[in-house]
Amino acid sequence: QVQLVESGGGLVQSGGSLRLSCAASGSIFSIFVMEWYRQSPGKDRELVAMITNDRSTDYADPVKGRFTISRDNAKNTVYLQMNSLKPEDTAVYYCHRASQKMGTVRYPEIWGQGTLVTVSS
């Protein structure tokens, strides 16, 4: 069973940086769109960044210019580099593998367990 395991969260001061990693088990990784979401207390989970199989990227407006998503298909890993962090970036960050259909096979979406990022002012 494919799993996503996030790491790299922690406590950082405002203006600091963190890099989140999401390692996927299984042999098929490169075909999938990979995404990072976050959820703050009392708020809905929101999409932060996404990267396609051909490495096209897109970002939510609040993080544009500060966050960078990347992937290493040889390591089955997707990263989120977060710079110039703000207190409002405090949230649990989740890695997400979007569902994908290849031929007659439908690969389901998968969520990681989340990693907490806390930005102090």
Side-chain angles (χ1 to χ4, degrees):
Q1 183 175 354
V2 178
Q3 291 183 317
L4 303 177
V5 179
E6 299 105 331
S7 60
L11 174 63
V12 64
Q13 288 188 331
S14 182
S17 297
L18 282 175
R19 188 176 82 154
L20 306 183
S21 299
C22 170
S25 61
S27 59
I28 301 175
F29 175 77
S30 63
I31 67 169
F32 294 104
V33 172
M34 299 298 298
E35 299 165 327
W36 286 98
Y37 283 75
R38 68 185 181 186
Q39 188 168 21
S40 304
K43 294 186 177 181
D44 293 334
R45 192 172 296 189
E46 61 176 354
L47 179 63
V48 174
M50 59 89 72
I51 185 166
T52 67
N53 58 347
D54 64 357
R55 303 179 190 275
S56 297
T57 60
D58 199 10
Y59 300 91
D61 286 342
V63 308
K64 282 182 179 177
R66 299 188 297 122
F67 290 11
T68 302
I69 189 171
S70 60
R71 66 192 300 161
D72 185 337
N73 290 334
K75 295 182 178 180
N76 283 9
T77 300
V78 62
Y79 304 97
L80 186 67
Q81 178 67 43
M82 305 185 295
N83 298 328
S84 302
L85 282 161
K86 304 175 181 180
E88 52 263 43
D89 294 319
T90 294
V92 177
Y93 284 72
Y94 296 91
C95 182
H96 178 250
R97 190 192 80 177
S99 65
Q100 176 75 36
K101 186 176 182 182
M102 286 191 66
T104 59
V105 179
R106 165 68 69 177
Y107 296 92
E109 65 169 351
I110 298 175
W111 290 94
Q113 82 287 353
T115 185
L116 177 62
V117 172
T118 303
V119 184
S120 63
S121 58

